[in-house]
Amino acid sequence: MIALYPGSFDPVTYGHLDIIESASRMFDRTIVSILKNPNKTPLFSLEQRQAQIRTATAHLPNIEVTTFWGLTVTHARQQNAQVLIRGLRAISDFEFELQMAHTNKTLEPDLDTIFLACSNQHSFLSSSVVKEIARYGGPIDHLVPPNVKQDLETAFAPLD
Ligand code: ADP
C-alpha cells in the first residue's frame, strides 16, 4: 500500500520524523510530499526542504520525498496513494485535521486519511517553535536532525 504524507516541513522536525518512521513500518511505500503553499512565506526553499528530508530519512529505504502544488487529493491520485497520513500532536490539532479529512473524503472518496501520533516528547514541537528558538541562538539538538540544525544556523547566522 502507498501512503502520502503531505505538509510544509519548513523545516522537518523530530516530530515529523516520528510520523515518517511509523509510516515506514506500516506501508510498502510512503511519499513525503512538500506543499508549495501560496499562503505561506517559507524560510527554506522547496529544494532545501526536499534535501533536508532526504538526508534525515536516508536510513529508510521505502521513503520517497517529492514536492507538489495544488490539491492534495489530486497529487495523491497521481502518485497512486490510497492513504493520506497526518500527524497529531494534541487534541487542538484534531478539529482542523478532521475537517480537512472530511473535505478530502468528499473530493476523493477512495482516499482514506490516517492520523498518527508522534511520541510524547515531541508533542509540543512545531516548525515555527524550532525557527523561533534557532533565530535567537537557543539549543535545538533535541528538536531537529543535525543537517537541519546546520541549515538553521546558516539561515540565522548574524550578518557581518
Ligand atoms: P502543514 O502546514 O500542512 O500543517 P506541517 O509541516 O506543519 O504542515 O505539518 C505536516 C503534518 O505533520 C501535519 O499533519 C502536522 O499536524 C504534523 N506535525 C507537525 N509537527 C508535528 C509533531 N511535532 N508531531 C506530530 N505531527 C506533527
Side-chain angles (χ1 to χ4, degrees):
M1 192 174 279
I2 303 174
L4 184 82
Y5 180 31
S8 310
F9 307 106
D10 185 43
V12 71
T13 68
Y14 280 139
H16 296 126
L17 290 166
D18 278 347
I19 305 292
I20 294 172
E21 300 243 353
S22 299
S24 138
R25 288 190 290 270
M26 294 171 72
F27 301 101
D28 301 310
R29 279 171 63 207
T30 298
I31 304 165
V32 181
S33 227
I34 309 162
L35 170 65
K36 186 173 183 192
N37 187 340
N39 301 318
K40 289 188 183 173
T41 309
L43 175 63
F44 295 110
S45 70
L46 282 176
E47 293 73 24
Q48 280 175 306
R49 283 177 273 163
Q50 191 165 13
Q52 287 164 349
I53 302 173
R54 283 210 172 120
T55 301
T57 61
H59 61 296
L60 301 170
N62 60 352
I63 298 293
E64 292 161 39
V65 190
T66 186
T67 62
F68 76 108
W69 181 92
L71 288 179
T72 303
V73 293
T74 308
H75 179 59
R77 195 185 319 122
Q78 286 163 350
Q79 297 289 330
N80 293 317
Q82 297 101 315
V83 170
L84 270 185
I85 295 173
R86 294 290 288 175
L88 289 180
R89 283 162 288 196
I91 198 78
S92 49
D93 279 338
F94 190 67
E95 192 167 349
F96 173 74
E97 292 293 343
L98 189 63
Q99 183 188 15
M100 203 153 67
H102 285 151
T103 306
N104 285 335
K105 195 81 187 168
T106 65
L107 297 174
E108 192 74 33
D110 292 340
L111 184 67
D112 293 306
T113 300
I114 289 187
F115 298 116
L116 294 176
C118 63
S119 59
N120 205 20
Q121 86 238 41
H122 297 136
S123 61
F124 67 95
L125 187 50
S126 68
S127 299
S128 324
V129 161
V130 171
K131 282 182 278 192
E132 208 54 24
I133 299 171
R135 181 187 305 276
Y136 300 109
I140 51 172
D141 304 72
H142 57 307
L143 308 178
V144 293
N147 62 307
V148 173
K149 180 190 174 196
Q150 184 94 58
D151 288 353
L152 282 162
E153 284 173 354
T154 305
F156 291 123
L159 297 173
D160 291 326

